[in-house]
Amino acid sequence: MFALTLNRRASGNALDVDRVGLLLFVLGLLFVGWERLRPEMEQESSDPRAEEVVYYREAVAEVVDESEETLKTEEEEERRLKRVYEENVDNVITALERRNYFLGYDPTESRDQFLLHKKVLKRYKIELVPYRESWSVDLFAVGHNTVKTEILDMYDIVKSLEDQGSAVAKGPVSYFCGWWGTFLTVVTEFLDMEDQVIFPWIENKADLSGTKLSKSNRTLTRRQLRDLMLEATAQESNLIYIPPSEVVVKMLEVLNELNIVLLTYFNRVKARMPQLVDKNFTEDEYRLSLLPAISNHLRSGEDWNKLAPITVRWMREDQAASWQSEFLTRREKRKFSTWVRLVKRTHWELRDCVVERRTPKTREARQILAGA
């Protein structure tokens, strides 16, 4: 038995020795293989393409992290805006219950103070361009002086509305809206004429690209004016829903922007165009080709019978006579006094109604208001 046990131990030890030897042999092979493959792997890891792949993966990871952070921020902002909206709804309801229509100011402040001191029309200094001193100045002066004269009337109308404060009635605001319709016609007719007649004539010889009066910049200015005029016109419909004083406030906000855009454009033209025109054209070219085109364009408008009297209003008597000889036909000259009376009974009458705080005296003015 003892001998058998020794034999088994001896055979077991021999087996263990064989296993250990086999293990060492395998490890040796792995070591040799690793030593052979390591240089290739190191060379592979230094491959620039591999580095680009790693960089790309890291960059993607950063973008994903940033996107997740942005999404989280947007969700927080959305929740904040929802809270603000709900608070605003509560404020509106409270204001309506208290009949406090002017939101966003100290409740102890009267509506008159709000109207007079916080929402007033900015009155920029307006100077008419000298007329009949230089043909290159007259080219734009007629239209611009006409619009400026209308803006001066607007100042008087709005001053009366501001002075009435929250006590302003629906009537004066309606008169202003009626006056506003003709004002838009005057502005639109002259600016359309400049875009379609004067500037193309100038750009045949002079390059305006890269300037504040390039075609693209003029298009942008016209788009701004169009949007602002439409916004102001739309306020009349609000008379049905909100107090007249609030309609005035909303219109003042629009008119302040409108005046800035319009007067800035006038100043740019005055500063640059006369010298440019003098440099590239002669007065004979102006009178032979451009002046008839201007006359035809203005006279083709539906409201020429209103535009002509409004145009000469700011001129001296001799200047008005000279202008009429250039722009009116014989038949139109005979009708001109009738046209002036028409404008007085419609357009200027509505201005006087607001300024003098009275109702319209003429049938034509009442008809305009009835159709508004």
Side-chain angles (χ1 to χ4, degrees), residues 54-216:
V54 173
Y55 177 81
Y56 175 76
R57 289 174 178 169
E58 293 176 351
V60 170
E62 291 178 7
V63 171
V64 171
D65 292 341
E66 185 176 347
S67 299
E68 292 177 351
E69 184 66 27
T70 301
L71 181 60
K72 186 183 299 182
T73 303
E74 290 177 350
E75 291 174 350
E76 293 175 353
E77 178 67 11
E78 185 177 352
R79 288 193 294 270
R80 186 189 70 81
L81 290 176
K82 185 177 180 180
R83 290 195 304 271
V84 171
Y85 170 78
E86 292 173 350
E87 292 172 0
N88 286 339
V89 170
D90 293 338
N91 290 337
V92 170
I93 294 174
T94 303
L96 291 175
E97 290 174 349
R98 297 178 181 176
R99 299 190 62 78
N100 176 16
Y101 298 99
F102 291 105
L103 305 178
Y105 76 105
D106 185 353
T108 61
E109 183 179 30
S110 72
R111 294 169 69 185
D112 290 348
Q113 288 175 328
F114 179 90
L115 193 62
L116 291 175
H117 301 295
K118 289 189 176 181
K119 295 294 182 184
V120 298
L121 184 66
K122 296 181 177 64
R123 289 161 175 81
Y124 300 96
K125 184 178 180 180
I126 291 181
E127 294 181 351
L128 301 186
V129 179
Y131 183 56
R132 290 299 180 186
E133 294 183 4
S134 169
W135 71 270
S136 58
V137 174
D138 295 348
L139 187 58
F140 289 96
V142 174
H144 293 189
N145 282 356
T146 302
V147 174
K148 287 178 179 178
T149 304
E150 291 292 295
I151 293 177
L152 291 173
D153 282 352
M154 182 199 299
Y155 285 173
D156 293 337
I157 294 173
V158 171
K159 178 63 167 59
S160 177
L161 296 176
E162 291 172 347
D163 289 345
Q164 295 175 61
S166 61
V168 66
K170 181 178 179 180
V173 181
S174 297
Y175 306 155
F176 177 37
C177 293
W179 175 92
W180 175 260
T182 303
F183 171 80
L184 291 186
T185 298
V186 174
V187 174
T188 302
E189 287 291 336
F190 278 112
L191 293 186
D192 282 350
M193 181 269 295
E194 291 179 4
D195 276 349
Q196 299 173 27
V197 180
I198 295 182
F199 276 108
W201 182 76
I202 293 175
E203 289 173 322
N204 282 331
K205 288 187 177 181
D207 183 14
L208 295 178
S209 60
T211 70
K212 295 293 181 63
L213 292 172
S214 65
K215 187 174 182 179
S216 59

Side-chain angles (χ1 to χ4, degrees), residues 2 27 85 128 132 215 222 233 243 274 314:
F2 180 72
L27 290 176
Y85 170 78
L128 301 186
R132 290 299 180 186
K215 187 174 182 179
R222 289 302 306 274
T233 303
W314 54 270

